[in-house]
Amino acid sequence: DGDGGGGDAAAAPLDDPSEVRVTNRSPAATFANYCIAMLQSKQHERVTLRAMGHAMARTVEVAEMVKRRVGELHQVTTIGSQEVTDAWEPREQGLDRIEVDHRVTNITIVLSRTPLDAADA
């Protein structure tokens, strides 16, 4: 559906505990508050925001909210795209499965208390 996946900020298990996958299913403030809590707890020097498709605008909004509330953060933003395959199983017997390949734009925003270089994103 192009919004980057799961429900709230902590919904999907992630490899990096400081990574937040932003979606359009929750308000921007929910994600921002989660990021702010991580940065203010001093357990995380940085937070990585990721999103795909329509959720990209919300990700920028979240990053701006966090920067306004926390202050003195460094930022590296990368934008790219990836190939995604959507598949539909037939509801009736005898029909073929349909697969459609398309490209989806994605964004990664790293916010850090310490200076970053572009390779950190």
Side-chain angles (χ1 to χ4, degrees):
D1 59 358
D3 71 357
D8 60 28
L14 304 170
D15 294 338
D16 179 359
S18 67
E19 181 175 316
V20 178
R21 293 192 186 148
V22 178
T23 69
N24 281 335
R25 294 184 183 155
S26 296
T30 301
F31 295 108
N33 290 336
Y34 183 76
C35 293
I36 291 163
M38 281 197 298
L39 289 167
Q40 289 178 339
S41 73
K42 306 284 191 218
Q43 292 178 6
H44 300 281
E45 274 297 301
R46 67 190 199 173
V47 172
T48 302
L49 301 167
R50 295 188 192 277
M52 295 173 63
H54 298 291
M56 288 175 55
R58 173 147 307 159
T59 305
V60 173
E61 181 182 359
V62 170
E64 293 302 317
M65 292 169 78
V66 172
K67 288 182 346 187
R68 215 171 315 145
R69 294 257 306 274
V70 175
E72 296 185 26
L73 292 175
H74 302 271
Q75 176 177 337
V76 173
T77 302
T78 55
I79 297 174
S81 66
Q82 67 190 65
E83 188 82 18
V84 175
T85 301
D86 288 331
W88 291 273
E89 296 293 335
R91 292 185 181 185
E92 299 176 20
Q93 252 184 329
L95 297 176
D96 293 333
R97 175 185 166 136
I98 298 173
E99 290 187 5
V100 177
D101 294 331
H102 57 99
R103 294 202 73 75
V104 178
T105 310
N106 57 51
I107 190 168
T108 301
I109 301 175
V110 180
L111 299 174
S112 174
R113 293 184 176 285
T114 57
L116 296 165
D117 91 22
D120 290 331

